[in-house]
Amino acid sequence: MSESILDAKNVTMNFGGLRALNDVSMTIRQGEIVALIGPNGAGKTTFFNCVTGVYPPSAGTISITPPGKSPEVINNLLPHVVTEKGLARTFQNIRLFQNMTVLENVMIGRHARLKAGILGAILRDGSTREEEQKVIHDSYEILKKIELEKYVNELAKNLPYGAQRLLEIARALATEPFLLLLDEPAAGMNPKETGHLDDLIVRIRDTEKVSIFLIEHDMSLVMRVSERIYVVDYGQLIAEGTPAEIKRNPVVIKAYLGEEVNA
Amino acid sequence: MDLNYLLQLFISGMTRGSIYALIALGYTMVYGIVQLINFAHGEIYMIGAFTALIVATVLNMTGMPGIAVFAIAMVVAVVYSAAYGFTMEKIAYKPLRNAPRLSALISAIGMSYFLQNYVLLAQTSDFVSFPRLIPKFRFLEGLGGMLSSTQVIIFLVTAVVMVLLTLLIKFTKIGKAMRATAQDKTMALLVGININQVIAVTFVIGSAMAAVGGVLISSHVGQINFYIGFIAGIKAFVAAVLGGIGSIPGAVLGSFVLGLTESFGTGYISSDYEDVFAFIILVLILIFRPSGLLGKSQKEKI
Amino acid sequence: MNKLIPELKKSFVTALWFAFLTFPILVIKVNTVRNSILWRWGNLAAVFVLTMALSYVWRRLLEKRARGERLFDLSGLVPAKLRGIELKSVFAQKKNSRAALAVLLALAVLFPFVAGMYQTNIVTTALMYVILGLGLNIVIGLGGLLQLGYAAFYAVGAYTYGILNTRFGLSFWIALPLGAVLATIFGIILGFPVLRLKGDYLAIVTLGFAEICRIVLENWNDFSSGPSGISQIDRPPFFGIKLSVPQSAIYLYLITLALVVVTVFIVRRLENSRLGRAWEAMREDAVASEAMGVNLTIAKLSAFALGAFWAGMVGVLFAAKTTFINPASFTLMESVLILCIIVLGGMGSTAGVIVGALVIILLPEYLRAFTQYRMLLYGSILVLMMVFRPGGIIRKVRKSYVFKADGQVEGAGHE
Ligand SMILES: Nc1ncnc2c1ncn2[C@@H]1O[C@H](COP(=O)(O)OP(=O)(O)OP(=O)(O)O)[C@@H](O)[C@H]1O
Ligand SMILES: [Mg+2]
C-alpha cells in the first residue's frame, strides 16, 4: 500500500447555523483515483473548498504529504498557496477566464511555477524572455494532451460546453499538481464525451503521475474509473469502499432512494 | 455643553437624513433589482425640484394660497420625475440589461451629464430662488425657532412616504414581485414575474421619492441650480452603501447616520470639512463591515 | 407600405410622450426675480418633430443591434480598388506596422513646430490624458478593479511638484520621478484597506478617499494654500536655460510625447507578462485565478500601485504646464473623465485608450462652435456608445499564436 498524500481528519464546516460537513475524515493515497459521491447539497463541494483553502474548516485538520516531502497542515492557507503546494481543482460551475484565449487560460495555470516579476516584465531580460517562450510552449503541450489544441486561439467563452470542462482540467494540470480535484467533470456532457472523459482521467493519472479525487453524479463513470469511493449525505460520511462494495451498501442505497442511480 | 445647540444639530441632522433617505431609497431599490449604480438618480431629484419651481412660480401668479401651491407643485414634480425616471430606464439602461456592469455605469454617467446640461440650457446656470410656500406654523413659536415649519413638513412627508413604501413592498402584488426579483432574478422569471415591468416600476417609484426629496429640500434651502443633484446624489449613494446597498431599511438607517454625522461634525468640529465626514464614516464602516450596516454579507457560493 | 402606418403611429406616440416630458422645463422659463414667465412654444414643436424622426432611427438601430448586424457599415466608403486588401493583414506584418508607427511618431514630433502654441497646448493636454488613460487602464481594464478616485493620485503628483518647487525650488526633473513614486506609495497605502472590497463597494470607497484628499487640500491652508491653490510653479527649464512661453509649450509637448512613448512601451510589456495575465485573470474570475496560484493581494496592490505611478507623473507634468494648481482640477469628474476615456476608447486596448483620450479631450475643444451644446452632446455620445458599441472604438484583440507541428511557436499576431 502506497503512502497517503491527503489526510483530512474530523473536518467540520459550519455556515452560520448550517453544518455543511460534520466530522468527516478521508484519505487519498499516492496514485489513486477516488470518487466522492452523495446527493445534492450533501457537502461534497464544500469539502473540496475546505481542502483547497477557499474556506478554512470550522474544525478538524487537513494535511498533505507531497511525494518525497514531509507532511504539513494546510488548514489555514490561502488558495493560491495550496495550489503552489501541489493541489489543483476544477469548478462545478465552470469558472474559466471567459474573455481570454484557451492558451492564455492554461498559461495562467502556470503562474505559480513562474518567477518573473514587475522588473522582469518591463526589462524583458534574457531569462524572462526564455520563461515566456517556455510557458507558451508548455501550455500548448498541455492542450495537446487534453486534445484541445485546435481551439488554442479561441476565447474560452466560445468553446462548446464539453470543451470548457476539459479546459478546466487542462488549466488545473498546468499548475503541476500531485493531486487533482475534479468537481463534477462530466456534468452537462453527452454520453460520447463522458466516455472520452473516462479514458482521459485514467490517462492523466498514468502519464502525469497525479492522483485524482473526483466528485461526480454520473454513477456509471464513477464505477468505471474509481478505485475507492467515499459517500457523504447531509454532511456526514456514510460509507467508504470499492465500487462493488458501495453498490451493495444498504445505507448508500437508502441515501440515494428517490434519486436516480445510473449504476 | 449647550443642550440647545445639541438639539438643534440633532434636528438639522434628522432633516438632512430625511432627504438623503428619500433619495437613497431610489438608489438602493434600483441596485437591489438590477445591480446598477444609477448615477443619474441625483439628476431626477434636480428635475423634480425644477419642475416644482416652475409650477409654483406659475401658480403663485394666480394668487393661490401657498400651501395649496406647494401641494400641487409637489404632485406635478412627482409625476414628472417618475416620467423621467421611466424614460431614462428605457433609453439608457434597458438596452444594456445583459451588458457588462461597467457599460451601464458609463451610460448612467452619460445620462447624468445630459440631464444636467439639458436643464442648464433650457433654464439657467445660475442659482434661482425657490419660492417660500410653506407658511409659518403658529404652534412652533413656543420652541424659540428651534424647529422650522419646513422641517416639520419634511419629517411628516418623509414618514408618510416611508410608511407607504413599506406597505407597497410588503402587501401589494408588485411589491412582492419586486422582492422576489431582488432575491433571484432567474427564479422570478421562472415563476412568471414580468421583470421588465418590475424594473420600470422600481425606477418610477424611486424617481418619485427623489422628487419628493428635491421639492422638500428646495423649500428648506430656498434656492436651486442644475447642479444640486450631483452632490445630493453622491451623498445619498454613500448613505445607501453605508446601510448596505440593496437593503431598504439599510438605506434609511444609513441616511440618518450620515445626516447626523454631518450635522454634528460640522457643528462641533469644523464646517470646512462638511463633506469629509460623509466619506470618512463610509470608509470606516466599509473597511470593518464590507457589506454595510444592514447588508447581508453575501459569500459567493463556489 | 403596410408597415408605414404602425411605424408612424409608434413615432407619433413617442413624440407626444417627449413633448409632455419636456414641456415644463423646455417651454416655460420663469424669472423668479421679476416674477415673469416666458412661454417658448417653438421648443415644443422642435422636440415633437425631432423625436418623431429620432424614435424611428432608434428603433431601426435597436433592431439591427438585435440581429447582430454592424450598425454603421463604412465599407461603401472605401474605394473599390482597396477593398480587396485587408487593412488588418497589412498591419499585421511587423515590418509594416513598425514603419507606420515610425511615420506617425515623426509627424507627432514635427507637429508643435508647425501648429501654433494654442494647438500645441491642447494636444499636450490630450497626450497627458493618454498617459492617465493607460494608467487607469491597468487598474480597471486589466485588473477589473473599479477605481473611481484616480484623480487623487494625479493630485499627489501635482502638489508634490507645486509645493516642493515653490517652497524649496525643487527642479522638474527631480519632481517627475518623485511625484510618481509618492503617488505609487499612496496607491499602495490606499490599496491595503480596500483589499477585501469588491466591485461597487470598491468604487465608492476609492471615490470617498479621493474626495477626502480633495477637501483636505481645499481646507488645509498652511499645506496647500487652500482653494486659491499654488501659483507661479516653474516650467521645466531646458538644461538650465529658462525658456520663453511658446518655447516652453513646445518643450513640454515633446516631454509629454516622450513619456507617452515610454508609457505605451512599458504598459504593453506589462500586459504581456506573467503579472499582466494575473491581472486579467483576476478581472475575469478572482476565485478561479486564486485557485490557479495567483496571489490576489499582490495582484491588486501592484495594479493600484502601477496605475497610481502614471497618474503621479502626469500630475507633475500638469503642474509644470499650467504653472498653477488648485483642488478644483482634481474632482470626481476628473476621475470619471479618465474612466470614460478608457471605456469609450476600448477597455483593455492600448490603441483604444489612445484614441479615446484624443477623441474625448480634443472633440470638445474643436466643438467650441457648439460650446453651449457640447456637454449635452458628450452625455448623449456616452449613452449611445454604450448602447450601440459597448466594446469601445477600438476593441481589444487578443494575441494569437501559430504553432508548428513540434509545438514550437511559429508566429504571433496582435492587434
Ligand atoms: N458559502 C456558503 N454559504 C452558506 N451555505 C453554503 C455555502 N456553500 C455551501 N453551502 C451549503 O452547504 C450545503 C452543502 O453544499 P455543497 O455545495 O457542498 O453541496 P454538494 O454536495 O456539492 O451538492 P451538489 O451536488 O448540488 O453540488 C448546502 O446546503 C449549501 O447550501
Ligand atoms: Mg457541488
Side-chain angles (χ1 to χ4, degrees):
Chain A
M1 177 140 297
S2 49
E3 20 186 321
S4 78
I5 51 170
L6 174 75
D7 249 307
K9 286 213 181 76
N10 313 101
V11 173
T12 296
M13 181 75 218
N14 300 320
F15 293 112
L18 181 95
R19 177 157 289 190
L21 287 175
N22 190 3
D23 207 21
V24 172
S25 300
M26 295 184 205
T27 304
I28 309 284
R29 285 185 286 270
Q30 170 78 41
E32 271 188 315
I33 298 180
V34 180
L36 173 56
I37 63 171
N40 287 108
K44 306 180 294 294
T45 301
T46 304
F47 184 74
F48 270 24
N49 285 338
C50 287
V51 170
T52 55
V54 176
Y55 313 125
S58 313
T61 43
I62 299 168
S63 53
I64 54 167
T65 315
K69 292 191 186 146
S70 45
E72 65 183 303
V73 176
I74 57 166
N75 268 27
N76 291 308
L77 299 184
L78 288 171
H80 73 268
V81 183
V82 174
T83 305
E84 271 166 38
K85 302 241 178 250
L87 300 191
R89 71 176 292 178
T90 65
F91 294 93
Q92 175 175 2
N93 310 307
I94 296 180
R95 301 190 78 128
L96 290 171
F97 308 117
Q98 299 282 349
N99 294 303
M100 301 175 82
T101 64
V102 167
L103 188 73
E104 285 169 325
N105 267 273
V106 180
M107 283 164 79
I108 287 167
R110 302 289 305 146
H111 187 90
R113 307 293 167 224
L114 305 180
K115 291 192 200 67
I118 294 181
L119 276 184
I122 295 173
L123 301 176
R124 209 173 273 178
D125 52 305
S127 68
T128 311
R129 211 172 309 158
E130 220 168 87
E131 189 181 274
E132 278 297 296
Q133 286 301 318
K134 195 160 163 359
V135 70
I136 295 169
H137 177 255
D138 292 350
S139 305
Y140 185 67
E141 290 299 320
I142 294 169
L143 283 177
K144 281 211 289 203
K145 272 178 204 148
I146 311 291
E147 292 165 25
L148 283 174
E149 73 270 21
K150 65 175 167 186
Y151 295 119
V152 62
N153 290 320
E154 294 283 333
L155 292 188
K157 66 177 174 195
N158 296 337
L159 256 54
Y161 194 81
Q164 295 200 9
R165 287 244 172 251
L166 292 180
L167 179 55
E168 281 243 352
I169 298 178
R171 191 176 68 168
L173 270 183
T175 67
E176 291 178 16
F178 65 84
L179 174 62
L180 184 60
L181 300 114
L182 305 175
D183 198 342
E184 301 196 17
M189 282 189 174
N190 60 37
K192 197 177 141 223
E193 288 171 323
T194 310
H196 186 72
L197 187 66
D198 275 17
D199 304 340
L200 183 71
I201 289 173
V202 176
R203 200 174 72 222
I204 290 173
R205 191 262 309 265
D206 295 343
T207 62
E208 306 298 309
K209 311 232 163 10
V210 289
S211 315
I212 290 173
F213 193 9
L214 85 152
I215 296 174
E216 192 42 72
H217 281 295
D218 183 332
M219 285 309 145
S220 59
L221 173 70
V222 169
M223 297 301 163
R224 268 179 279 142
V225 302
S226 51
E227 290 144 7
R228 254 175 348 111
I229 298 174
Y230 284 105
V231 190
V232 285
D233 192 17
Y234 292 110
Q236 307 269 6
L237 186 62
I238 56 167
E240 188 222 324
T242 62
E245 289 165 1
I246 293 296
K247 255 191 251 184
R248 290 189 309 259
N249 187 322
V251 185
V252 176
I253 294 168
K254 191 165 164 249
Y256 270 95
L257 219 60
E259 287 229 358
E260 68 184 301
V261 184
N262 305 326
Chain B
M1 188 165 266
D2 184 350
L3 204 66
N4 233 356
Y5 185 55
L6 188 118
L7 205 62
Q8 216 165 349
L9 290 180
F10 179 76
I11 291 174
S12 117
M14 294 300 283
T15 314
R16 277 168 188 260
S18 307
I19 304 298
Y20 290 154
L22 287 170
I23 313 174
L25 281 169
Y27 270 116
T28 237
M29 285 166 62
V30 166
Y31 191 92
I33 287 180
V34 279
Q35 280 79 47
L36 162 77
I37 303 179
N38 180 8
F39 230 86
H41 188 57
E43 268 54 62
I44 295 292
Y45 150 98
M46 179 269 296
I47 291 211
F50 259 94
T51 309
L53 172 93
I54 291 166
V55 172
T57 315
V58 173
L59 288 181
N60 258 345
M61 291 182 189
T62 65
M64 215 184 259
I67 197 84
V69 172
F70 181 77
I72 296 176
M74 174 73 93
V75 170
V76 177
V78 164
V79 169
Y80 265 96
S81 283
Y84 271 93
F86 174 82
T87 313
M88 177 168 87
E89 196 270 325
K90 285 272 171 296
I91 294 176
Y93 307 140
K94 194 172 171 204
L96 293 174
R97 254 337 126 63
N98 302 315
R101 301 267 293 279
L102 203 53
S103 305
L105 181 70
I106 301 281
S107 183
I109 291 170
M111 205 66 210
S112 163
Y113 271 124
F114 180 89
L115 289 175
Q116 273 176 25
N117 286 282
Y118 157 70
V119 173
L120 179 140
L121 289 173
Q123 295 288 324
T124 169
S125 60
D126 302 327
F127 266 100
V128 282
S129 58
F130 197 90
R132 296 231 162 264
L133 299 170
I134 300 171
K136 285 204 160 31
F137 299 143
R138 279 275 166 68
F139 66 92
L140 291 175
E141 277 163 18
L143 292 171
M146 183 93 76
L147 188 65
S148 76
S149 51
T150 318
Q151 281 170 323
V152 172
I153 297 278
I154 288 179
F155 295 143
L156 270 178
V157 174
T158 308
V160 170
V161 170
M162 305 276 149
V163 171
L164 285 180
L165 181 70
T166 314
L167 293 179
L168 179 117
I169 288 182
K170 280 248 157 80
F171 300 113
T172 63
K173 198 170 159 214
I174 186 77
K176 284 176 191 158
M178 281 163 80
R179 277 186 292 155
T181 313
Q183 264 194 4
D184 190 336
K185 221 185 277 172
T186 355
M187 216 46 174
L189 206 63
L190 285 180
V191 297
I193 289 173
N194 180 345
I195 303 266
N196 280 336
Q197 189 195 356
V198 168
I199 293 173
V201 171
T202 309
F203 269 85
V204 164
I205 295 173
S207 305
M209 286 190 296
V212 173
V215 179
L216 290 175
I217 195 69
S218 307
S219 21
H220 183 60
V221 176
Q223 57 172 5
I224 60 175
N225 80 346
F226 73 97
Y227 201 63
I228 56 167
F230 184 73
I231 290 296
I234 294 279
K235 292 278 186 66
F237 181 60
V238 166
V241 174
L242 207 61
I245 192 148
S247 150
I248 289 179
V252 178
L253 177 68
S255 299
F256 285 113
V257 168
L258 184 66
L260 290 171
T261 310
E262 283 193 338
S263 176
F264 285 112
T266 45
Y268 285 119
I269 303 171
S270 158
S271 61
D272 290 340
Y273 289 95
E274 181 183 332
D275 294 338
V276 167
F277 301 119
F279 291 114
I280 287 181
I281 191 164
L282 172 84
V283 169
L284 286 181
I285 288 188
L286 284 192
I287 286 170
F288 293 106
R289 263 196 78 90
S291 45
L293 290 171
L294 300 187
K296 269 180 252 113
S297 111
Q298 277 184 332
K299 252 200 188 158
E300 188 186 4
K301 261 196 203 167
I302 292 158
Chain C
M1 209 64 263
N2 51 358
K3 266 176 69 186
L4 187 67
I5 302 293
E7 284 294 343
L8 262 177
K9 209 168 129 193
K10 272 188 200 159
S11 287
F12 184 78
V13 172
T14 313
L16 265 187
W17 173 252
F18 275 90
F20 160 76
L21 212 56
T22 53
F23 172 71
I25 286 174
L26 267 184
V27 175
I28 311 173
K29 180 159 184 165
V30 295
N31 185 324
T32 46
V33 182
R34 277 181 285 134
N35 237 356
S36 62
I37 299 173
L38 183 67
W39 298 86
R40 300 167 295 183
W41 294 108
N43 285 349
L44 194 67
V47 164
F48 193 87
V49 174
L50 253 161
T51 39
M52 190 103 181
L54 284 180
S55 105
Y56 178 79
V57 176
W58 175 261
R59 287 197 307 272
R60 283 292 82 75
L61 285 176
L62 276 186
E63 273 170 25
K64 261 189 157 181
R65 191 184 81 143
R67 286 197 304 264
E69 284 173 30
R70 292 179 65 164
L71 297 177
F72 309 101
D73 198 356
L74 300 178
S75 60
L77 297 176
V78 181
K81 248 203 277 177
L82 288 178
R83 227 173 276 166
I85 309 170
E86 272 277 344
L87 261 181
K88 271 207 183 106
S89 67
V90 173
F91 282 108
Q93 281 172 296
K94 240 186 179 155
K95 204 173 58 189
N96 290 340
S97 70
R98 286 241 167 109
L101 274 181
V103 171
L104 211 67
L105 198 61
L107 286 178
V109 171
L110 289 178
F111 175 78
F113 300 100
V114 184
M117 192 172 102
Y118 175 71
Q119 300 290 338
T120 306
N121 275 332
I122 296 175
V123 177
T124 308
T125 306
L127 291 177
M128 288 182 183
Y129 278 92
V130 169
I131 304 178
L132 288 172
L134 289 172
L136 187 61
N137 189 41
I138 294 178
V139 189
I140 301 185
L142 298 178
L145 305 163
L146 191 45
Q147 148 81 283
L148 279 186
Y150 199 57
F153 306 120
Y154 183 32
V156 169
Y159 272 87
T160 302
Y161 183 49
I163 291 173
L164 294 181
N165 176 265
T166 51
R167 292 197 198 152
F168 306 106
L170 191 81
S171 91
F172 172 81
W173 290 108
I174 298 177
L176 194 64
L178 187 65
V181 168
L182 279 182
T184 310
I185 295 172
F186 230 73
I188 296 174
I189 293 175
L190 193 151
F192 268 110
V194 301
L195 277 176
R196 288 203 300 158
L197 300 177
K198 272 190 231 150
D200 301 324
Y201 286 97
L202 178 69
I204 192 78
V205 169
T206 51
L207 181 158
F209 266 123
E211 282 297 283
I212 292 173
C213 291
R214 187 182 61 81
I215 298 166
V216 168
L217 287 178
E218 222 156 59
N219 291 291
W220 192 3
N221 284 314
D222 299 334
F223 174 72
S224 62
S225 317
S228 52
I230 298 172
S231 52
Q232 291 180 320
I233 302 167
D234 286 334
R235 294 197 171 82
F238 184 69
F239 294 107
I241 310 162
K242 223 169 143 66
L243 297 175
S244 72
V245 175
Q247 278 171 336
S248 183
I250 296 180
Y251 188 40
L252 251 162
Y253 172 92
L254 293 175
I255 294 173
T256 313
L257 184 64
L259 286 176
V260 168
V261 173
V262 171
T263 313
V264 169
F265 180 78
I266 292 183
V267 166
R268 303 263 331 215
R269 283 204 157 176
L270 282 172
E271 211 178 323
N272 292 311
S273 72
R274 172 172 176 257
L275 184 61
R277 282 193 299 273
W279 285 334
E280 288 201 89
M282 168 170 79
R283 175 196 68 204
E284 291 293 306
D285 190 326
V287 171
S289 70
E290 228 185 345
M292 291 302 116
V294 174
N295 182 337
L296 285 184
T297 309
I298 290 183
K300 279 186 190 172
L301 287 182
S302 60
F304 276 130
L306 282 167
F309 179 87
W310 302 112
M313 209 166 72
V314 180
V316 176
L317 275 179
F318 174 76
K321 173 168 181 281
T322 54
T323 72
F324 165 74
I325 49 170
N326 74 347
S329 305
F330 310 104
T331 57
L332 168 64
M333 271 302 131
E334 196 63 26
S335 304
V336 169
L337 184 73
I338 305 167
L339 174 65
C340 290
I341 285 175
I342 62 177
V343 176
L344 209 66
M347 192 78 115
S349 140
T350 309
V353 172
I354 295 174
V355 172
L358 296 179
V359 168
I360 286 210
I361 304 302
L362 297 183
L363 199 66
E365 290 296 337
Y366 294 119
L367 276 180
R368 284 249 178 247
F370 308 91
T371 312
Q372 281 196 341
Y373 297 102
R374 65 185 182 142
M375 292 315 282
L376 196 76
L377 282 175
Y378 185 54
S380 329
I381 289 171
L382 286 184
V383 175
L384 292 177
M385 274 297 285
M386 287 305 105
V387 174
F388 294 113
R389 202 182 163 89
I393 300 171
I394 298 182
R395 273 171 245 218
K396 169 142 185 157
V397 181
R398 303 211 70 88
K399 208 163 174 163
S400 61
Y401 297 89
V402 185
F403 290 90
K404 282 189 266 189
D406 63 353
Q408 292 303 319
V409 186
E410 190 174 289
H414 212 283
E415 300 179 31

